[in-house]
């Protein structure tokens, strides 16, 4: 019998608090070397969107934000800081759901999430600063992948990860908002199950599964582990992008 597939995961330790302009590829590779983690071809590097955003200068001081009248009205409805609501609206196509304490929008990148993915945890400045998602996470993933190839001569996959809630399940999970060098989804329609039955609807959100596996190590609180290397994944197939994971509106029965 063929050997069972094995998956290994390594959180890269020692990554400092990232500042605007930092070279996160240089930092990740240096800290990986220091920890004895040697990248190999076919590895997948999952990088938190937080450090990508910080390096790109996406940290906003709320005292520089001037809320519109629409943001001010929505802030009253949702009991949120009107400056934060203004940022949420600026990052969104439209509001999906709202009530006191909750503001869910369709993000400009196509997915639906709370507060347009804007985060105030684990950033300097507390409630007076907010961190926006990267402008183009797929492009950021590609840039990291190309830089690793240029420096090490290795082909790796890269995922920019974030955490999202789900409408019918409790708790957050890791999701891929940027993908490079591996399929974002895998279409199993037409293949057969153990009993020879042809699969008709099965599609796997592959990059989201990888992101969630990495989040088991990187965590959500004070772990300080924003980059995780996974080895042993099947990265074969047509490379994709995060947009591949967005359900088309005509197929969305819940939005």
């Amino acid at each position: 019998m063929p050997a069972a597939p094995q998956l290994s995961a390594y959180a890269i330790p020692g990554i400092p608090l990232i500042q605007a302009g930092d070279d996160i590829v240089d930092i990740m590779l240096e800290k990986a070397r220091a920890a004895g983690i040697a990248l190999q071809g076919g590895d997948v590097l999952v990088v938190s969107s937080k450090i990508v955003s910080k390096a790109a200068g996406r940290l906003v001081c709320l005292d520089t934000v001037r809320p519109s009248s629409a943001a001010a009205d929505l802030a009253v409805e949702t009991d949120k800081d009107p400056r934060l609501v203004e940022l949420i609206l600026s990052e969104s196509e439209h509001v999906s759901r709202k009530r006191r304490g909750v503001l869910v929008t369709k993000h400009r990148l196509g997915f639906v999430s709370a507060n347009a993915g804007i985060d105030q945890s684990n950033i300097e400045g507390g409630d007076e600063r907010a961190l926006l998602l990267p402008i183009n996470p797929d492009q950021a993933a590609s840039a990291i992948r190309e830089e690793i190839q240029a420096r090490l001569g290795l082909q790796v996959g890269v995922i920019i990860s974030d955490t999202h809630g789900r409408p019918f399940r409790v708790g957050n999970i890791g999701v891929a908002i940027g993908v490079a060098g591996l399929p974002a989804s895998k279409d199993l329609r037409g293949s057969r199950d153990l009993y020879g039955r042809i699969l008709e609807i099965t599609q796997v959100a592959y990059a989201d599964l990888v992101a969630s596996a990495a989040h088991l190590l990187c965590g959500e609180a004070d772990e300080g582990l924003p980059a995780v290397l996974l080895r042993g994944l099947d990265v074969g197939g047509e490379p994709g992008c995060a947009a591949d994971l967005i359900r088309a509106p005509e197929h969305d029965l819940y939005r």
Side-chain angles (χ1 to χ4, degrees), residues 37 81 140 143 202:
I37 301 171
D81 187 324
T202 304

Side-chain angles (χ1 to χ4, degrees), residues 101-171:
V102 177
L103 182 53
V104 179
T105 70
K106 180 182 179 184
H107 193 274
R108 57 179 175 77
L109 294 171
F111 51 76
V112 174
S113 67
N115 299 328
I118 295 174
D119 200 353
Q120 291 183 286
S121 64
N122 283 322
I123 59 173
E124 305 88 333
D127 291 342
E128 287 303 308
R129 290 191 176 187
L131 188 66
L132 281 58
L133 290 178
I135 292 175
N136 188 331
D138 280 325
Q139 188 177 76
S142 293
I144 293 172
R145 182 172 185 266
E146 290 167 6
E147 187 64 21
I148 290 173
Q149 182 178 0
R151 296 188 189 198
L152 303 180
L154 299 174
Q155 294 274 5
V156 300
V158 176
I159 289 174
I160 307 298
S161 69
D162 193 29
T163 54
H164 285 185
R166 299 155 297 163
F168 304 113
R169 305 283 288 182
V170 172

